[in-house]
Amino acid sequence: MLIVGSGLAGAATAMRLLRFARSPLEIILLERRSDYRCAGVAYHRDGNPWDHVFNIQAGRMSAFREDVHDFIRWANSEAERGDWPAPWAGTTFVEQGPAPRRIFQDYLTDRLAEARREACPGVVLVEADGEAVDMEVLSTGVDVTVRQSCLNSAGNGSGGGQAQETTVLFADHVVLATGLELRVPPFAAEVLEHESFVRNPYSAAGVRKLMALPPGATVAIVGSVLSAYDSAGLLLRQGHTGKIHLVSRTGTVFRTYPAGHEHGVVRLPCPKTLLEPYLNREEFLARVRNEWEAACSTVVREHPDIDQAVIAERVAKAWEPHLPKALELIPSAELRWLLDEFGTAIAAFRVGAVEYTMEIIERAMHPADGTVQLVVGKVAGIKPAESGRLVVSVDARNGTRSIEADLVMSNFGRESDYGRVGQPLWKNLLRRGTAVPHERTGRGLEVDERGVLLGPGGVAVGPVSAVGVLREGDEIVRNGRTGAFTFNLAAIKNHSIAVAAHVIERLEPSGDGLAGRLTQYCGHASNIKEAARAEFEEAVTLEVRRLATRARSERELIDFRLESCIRSVAELPALSVDASLRDRLMRVIVNRAAVERLTDISVTPKQLRRQLGIVNS
């Protein structure tokens, strides 16, 4: 099978496949940029100086939801710190504290290597260099056109002399994990190539320009989201004294996580008025405000232990199970407008930032004449000035304001509408009908409940799955996910589990008749569980532990016990199948139940470990 993209989403899916597969399987992990391998745009070293830290606490950065402290353990006892600068070289990382983003690439690289070593015989990983530029879905699999690649068992890329060569690679299944797409800022058409304009704040060139600025230079940063804070914070830690303008259309400022903050889930009743018919924007927003204020008051009253700073996060999380029904009532055009208008605010409700990032920004913004100034308004355009600097025109509430800057950084964000993405792969997939932009939200692609791509008629196009940001729109309308949670680390962890399990279910030897009998057999699943409740629960518990176990020897022991347990589950007399096929069908049902429990976001990772009985695994 082929995974297109080896950033966080691709690497996480590859790890799960290496763990889950019990029969021979070749996994090709394809990446067009070697510096993005096990990192992507968010974590690659060249775009993340040591001052860039995770938005959330280090204790929430494990690649494995069922092993919440794995990253902390790795950072404190396994990470190679030979080239780490002070103070990080001597830091003992704690659950609620910060950690530099750039070390996450080393963490994912180590964990991918471990998964490779602990894979079953015949389960192999090939790390290949190249760019997937087209795909053709066949009756037997997928032909993928790869450019600038030389695929071999060593996983080495091709030389520069072969840069324009292409090859067609056949795969039984493809997972698309292409990550964030860069958005073209419409206001910067005249300055995209200007030396004082940075389009990508996480590029190596962008970071170099930022760090080379004179201390007194004037900087304009378009956007006030967390990536803008990374850029401003980097300047301030270097002793920057010139003005830093954060230009924000909404004026949204993110909050700081309180000391000792832990992720939590509260139960709140359904906001019932949101299920009333949609009339217009003003009326709907009034209902939202009333329900929101009532929900926040409930949390304050019933959960006095919850810090005021995270009440909004708790309410946003508690509403997610109820949002799909509410969103069904909103016309598509209105839903898109609401998401565009309030996307930044939703993100600020759903996630905060650690004190390391926010403290230096807030201190610089505090005085009226502080180094950092928030400019509320929409950027109308950016033009070169005769001085060689750039002039940013902002349509503010009290008229147009001009900011002349030595450097302008666009934190305008990613492109979520795949109809506008310029990469050849997406142009070709949309042209073929292999991929369809998400109709309701204009964000991401149409997929089914298991992440399989859907074509224009809403039918699965073939063995092609998606993980990560590609599923943003579906996460919104299907699961009520809001803000960055539609594609952040937590969502990617769940995607990687579910997609890997689905791929293994498809590709492992299954015996004749499995596909034809599975739907029929699954229809009897509830009866099976009732007839052999204890045995079924034991089987699911064992399967959860197998999926969560890193060492192959331990997985094999669990697998042996699991096979015996599955055979003991009573067969329904009304469904006559031979014993081997029955066991295989039951195994699929048990696996699906285990995956559902591993990806249950109604509980925190710590609660999940206790519920699954893997606290001491």
Side-chain angles (χ1 to χ4, degrees):
M1 69 158 297
L2 174 69
I3 301 174
V4 180
S6 71
L8 168 60
T13 305
M15 284 184 240
R16 294 295 183 177
L17 285 164
L18 289 165
R19 284 195 192 184
F20 294 175
R22 295 168 299 162
S23 302
L25 177 68
E26 182 181 49
I27 305 160
I28 298 176
L29 191 54
L30 185 70
E31 177 53 58
R32 65 182 179 180
R33 292 189 53 166
S34 59
D35 57 327
Y36 274 26
R37 192 170 291 282
C38 287
V41 67
Y43 306 112
H44 72 111
R45 299 182 192 93
D46 291 340
N48 284 281
W50 285 96
D51 285 333
H52 284 186
V53 301
F54 300 123
N55 299 331
I56 60 176
Q57 303 95 328
R60 294 168 62 185
M61 290 304 300
S62 170
F64 311 109
R65 189 162 188 266
E66 70 279 10
D67 192 358
V68 66
H69 289 144
D70 183 61
F71 173 74
I72 291 290
R73 288 198 306 270
W74 173 87
N76 285 330
S77 60
E78 299 178 47
E80 175 52 58
R81 302 193 182 196
D83 61 348
W84 289 20
W88 299 115
T91 296
T92 298
F93 295 98
V94 296
E95 184 175 353
Q96 286 81 23
R101 301 165 75 103
R102 60 183 289 130
I103 69 172
F104 202 63
Q105 185 168 19
D106 291 335
Y107 167 65
L108 290 177
T109 299
D110 284 358
R111 288 296 177 256
L112 182 62
E114 177 192 63
R116 191 181 205 164
R117 292 192 303 271
E118 295 293 332
C120 289
V123 178
V124 297
L125 176 68
V126 178
E127 296 184 76
D129 295 331
E131 178 184 9
V133 295
D134 198 3
M135 294 191 330
E136 181 181 4
V137 178
L138 312 172
S139 59
T140 54
V142 186
D143 273 345
V144 182
T145 302
V146 179
R147 187 170 60 196
Q148 299 178 347
S149 176
C150 180
L151 304 176
N152 54 50
S153 59
N156 296 320
S158 61
Q162 299 177 334
Q164 299 304 314
E165 290 190 1
T166 62
T167 185
V168 176
L169 175 68
F170 176 81
D172 293 287
H173 199 109
V174 174
V175 173
L176 297 172
T178 49
L180 303 176
E181 297 291 345
L182 194 61
R183 190 173 185 180
V184 178
F187 49 75
E190 294 185 40
V191 297
L192 287 176
E193 303 302 323
H194 197 283
E195 62 179 9
S196 296
F197 180 77
V198 175
R199 181 182 173 192
N200 181 359
Y202 291 107
S203 64
V207 170
R208 283 197 300 270
K209 285 185 179 181
L210 200 66
M211 298 183 73
L213 276 177
T218 299
V219 180
I221 301 176
V222 181
S224 62
V225 295
L226 294 174
S227 59
Y229 295 173
D230 282 340
S231 300
L234 178 61
L235 286 172
L236 293 171
R237 292 182 194 282
Q238 292 185 126
H240 195 82
T241 57
K243 290 292 184 184
I244 302 172
H245 301 276
L246 297 182
V247 185
S248 168
R249 183 174 58 85
T250 63
T252 301
V253 177
F254 281 71
R255 69 188 185 283
T256 305
Y257 281 122
H261 168 67
E262 286 193 21
H263 174 55
V265 178
V266 298
R267 308 287 181 179
L268 292 176
C270 174
K272 292 182 179 179
T273 66
L274 300 190
L275 303 183
E276 297 174 0
Y278 185 89
L279 300 179
N280 55 61
R281 296 174 186 176
E282 184 177 353
E283 187 272 343
F284 176 73
L285 291 174
R287 282 190 276 142
V288 172
R289 289 189 191 98
N290 290 336
E291 290 283 6
W292 182 266
E293 290 170 2
C296 290
S297 297
T298 298
V299 174
V300 170
R301 183 176 62 255
E302 298 182 0
H303 302 276
D305 57 313
I306 294 179
D307 193 288
Q308 292 281 331
V310 296
I311 287 176
E313 179 179 314
R314 295 291 197 268
V315 173
K317 174 67 177 174
W319 274 17
E320 286 175 359
H322 311 300
L323 287 183
K325 287 186 178 180
L327 298 182
E328 286 178 4
L329 303 174
I330 304 175
S332 296
E334 290 293 281
L335 178 58
R336 290 190 181 201
W337 179 87
L338 289 165
L339 292 171
D340 289 341
E341 187 71 13
F342 297 102
T344 301
I346 291 171
F349 286 148
R350 190 61 184 81
V351 68
V354 294
E355 185 179 4
Y356 181 93
T357 298
M358 295 302 301
E359 185 269 340
I360 193 169
I361 301 292
E362 291 173 345
R363 188 170 64 241
M365 291 177 70
H366 182 64
D369 59 347
T371 304
V372 177
Q373 292 187 346
L374 181 65
V375 180
V376 181
K378 181 179 179 180
V379 176
I382 305 175
K383 296 180 180 295
E386 292 183 2
S387 63
R389 305 168 89 198
L390 294 178
V391 177
V392 182
S393 298
V394 182
D395 289 338
R397 294 170 184 170
N398 56 352
T400 301
R401 176 178 176 181
S402 295
I403 302 170
E404 188 168 324
D406 298 287
L407 187 73
V408 177
M409 300 198 68
S410 175
N411 292 71
F412 192 53
R414 58 197 170 78
E415 181 56 73
S416 56
D417 183 350
Y418 280 75
R420 299 176 181 173
V421 174
Q423 297 295 343
L425 175 64
W426 296 113
K427 288 185 175 180
N428 287 326
L429 292 186
L430 266 61
R431 173 181 55 82
R432 290 180 179 274
T434 304
V436 176
H438 196 263
E439 181 180 1
R440 291 275 284 137
T441 66
R443 288 161 161 75
L445 305 173
E446 295 284 355
V447 296
D448 68 10
E449 69 279 2
R450 306 186 80 180
V452 175
L453 259 59
L454 300 179
V459 178
V461 298
V464 183
S465 303
V467 293
V469 70
L470 308 177
R471 293 167 62 169
E472 180 182 6
D474 186 73
E475 287 287 346
I476 293 171
V477 300
R478 187 188 301 277
N479 298 315
R481 308 288 158 77
T482 54
F485 192 74
T486 55
F487 58 88
N488 72 352
L489 174 60
I492 286 172
K493 284 190 274 194
N494 276 1
H495 290 173
S496 67
I497 294 170
V499 167
H502 171 61
V503 171
I504 297 301
E505 180 184 305
R506 281 195 66 252
L507 298 185
E508 282 196 334
S510 56
D512 294 336
L514 175 63
R517 304 300 295 271
L518 185 57
T519 301
Q520 178 187 9
Y521 199 73
C522 286
H524 294 274
S526 60
N527 294 334
I528 296 170
K529 297 170 189 176
E530 289 300 320
R533 180 183 296 273
E535 292 87 348
F536 184 81
E537 284 298 317
E538 182 183 359
V540 173
T541 299
L542 287 170
E543 178 69 345
V544 165
R545 291 179 180 174
R546 184 185 75 86
L547 297 178
T549 298
R550 291 182 4 205
R552 186 179 82 192
S553 59
E554 294 179 32
R555 288 200 305 270
E556 289 173 344
L557 290 173
I558 295 171
D559 205 31
F560 180 79
R561 293 174 57 195
L562 179 60
E563 290 290 350
S564 176
C565 186
I566 286 177
R567 286 194 296 270
S568 70
V569 177
E571 180 180 1
L572 290 177
L575 189 62
S576 177
V577 295
D578 65 78
S580 62
L581 180 55
R582 180 195 67 85
D583 289 349
R584 174 60 183 144
L585 292 168
M586 178 54 67
R587 177 128 200 178
V588 170
I589 294 173
V590 167
N591 176 262
R592 290 185 178 183
V595 168
E596 185 176 340
R597 295 185 189 182
L598 269 177
T599 56
D600 178 11
I601 63 164
S602 68
V603 296
T604 67
K606 290 182 179 180
Q607 292 170 331
L608 178 75
R609 286 175 62 79
R610 289 192 291 269
Q611 288 184 7
L612 299 180
I614 56 175
V615 174
N616 296 318
S617 294

